[in-house]
Amino acid sequence: MTSVVLRAIGTITTPHGKAEDMPIQPGGAAKTMGTVVVDEAYSEGLEDLEGFSHIILIYQFHRSQGFELRVKPFLDDRKRGLFSTRAPRRPNPIGLSVVSLVKREGNRLQVMGIDVLDGTPLLDIKPFVPAFDAPEVTALGWLEGKQGLEKKIRSDDRFSNKQ
């Protein structure tokens, strides 16, 4: 298989120091503030971003190691195929979150709704555009009827490296 090399362009700072008991999705972290610090070498690329209310953060699950192809996700009680979940232990440990952009100060972005661990390496930022990013959904698979639970359920150690 082809190797892919990615470089972090910054770091995400949050109040979540450990995976256990943190939100499992941005919806569960609706009022949680965080800071995205983009390396100075990339700060010019932030120009015009403050015109968007929401942004997509693409990042590395930096504390994730290994993976299983069937996992028991937080919102279910049976094992599911890894790629039908958002579990952090993946062949390529890449995550994404849609967060509110509160303000930009130079190379620092204040965001709200952040659900990642403190010190998470940032790989990319994209503006969230509903017409591009929110198609009409017609099927939710095994998550049907579970919307809203992400606001109540917190993580545990099931995806830690202890396994």
Side-chain angles (χ1 to χ4, degrees):
M1 297 199 84
T2 303
S3 280
V4 176
V5 177
L6 300 173
R7 288 177 192 74
I9 63 165
T11 304
I12 305 170
T13 302
T14 75
H16 309 299
K18 60 181 185 157
E20 293 80 13
D21 199 38
M22 67 177 273
I24 61 169
Q25 293 297 322
K31 301 293 182 193
T32 305
M33 298 294 292
T35 304
V36 176
V37 180
V38 175
D39 290 343
E40 287 289 341
Y42 303 106
S43 65
E44 184 178 352
L46 296 172
E47 187 174 327
D48 304 315
L49 192 62
E50 59 270 18
F52 294 89
S53 67
H54 290 76
I55 57 175
I56 302 168
L57 301 177
I58 301 171
Y59 49 85
Q60 180 189 20
F61 289 120
H62 64 298
R63 294 192 200 164
S64 178
Q65 294 178 353
F67 65 93
E68 295 176 12
L69 293 175
R70 294 192 39 81
V71 299
K72 185 174 148 189
F74 293 120
L75 297 177
D76 204 16
D77 58 0
R78 61 179 262 222
K79 286 196 171 192
R80 302 289 181 171
L82 174 66
F83 301 121
S84 75
T85 76
R86 294 188 174 197
R89 292 182 63 227
R90 313 183 72 79
N92 291 305
I94 297 170
L96 67 91
S97 295
V98 176
V99 298
S100 297
L101 177 58
V102 177
K103 69 179 174 178
R104 173 186 166 212
E105 295 177 329
N107 68 326
R108 300 172 73 81
L109 306 174
Q110 293 294 322
V111 297
M112 187 166 52
I114 192 73
D115 66 328
V116 303
L117 286 169
D118 187 48
T120 294
L122 177 69
L123 300 176
D124 203 357
I125 301 169
K126 297 181 184 294
F128 178 83
V129 181
F132 303 163
D133 302 317
E136 182 180 343
V137 176
T138 59
L140 293 173
W142 65 267
L143 282 165
E144 191 73 48
K146 297 180 192 266
Q147 293 75 58
L149 292 177
E150 75 282 356
K151 294 177 180 147
K152 301 173 188 170
I153 296 176
R154 292 292 191 240
S155 65
D156 55 28
D157 67 354
R158 77 182 74 183
F159 297 114
S160 71
N161 296 330
K162 299 174 196 171
Q163 298 183 5

